[in-house]
Amino acid sequence: MWVEKSQVPVIVFTAIHRIEGTMYTYKDARILDELNAGAKDFIALTNVRIYPAESDNMLYKSDFMALNKNHISHLLPQENFLNEEELF
């Protein structure tokens, strides 16, 4: 069964990593709706780049990642992310 999904560039933080990639949500659904979907323990990310939480030195990249939602400390759309230079 094919379901139309929207692509959302996101930044995900875990206890030790910052993960940048593309998350998929049901069309017109919010990111929060996808995270709160109780039947799924994992979210799919594509075009993934993984960094240490406190550094911009990329550890590795992957075309696909299944991320356990229990490891997410916070997640935000990339368009809302301001780096340190943009804050001041």
Side-chain angles (χ1 to χ4, degrees), residues 1-8 23-30 34 40:
M1 180 171 99
W2 184 80
V3 176
E4 188 173 356
K5 294 222 173 184
S6 297
Q7 297 181 21
V8 182
M23 180 179 173
Y24 296 83
T25 63
Y26 289 106
K27 187 160 176 62
D28 299 323
R30 302 172 305 164
E34 187 71 26
K40 298 189 292 183

Side-chain angles (χ1 to χ4, degrees), residues 10 28-29 31 40 43 78:
V10 295
D28 299 323
I31 292 174
K40 298 189 292 183
I43 59 169
Q78 281 188 10

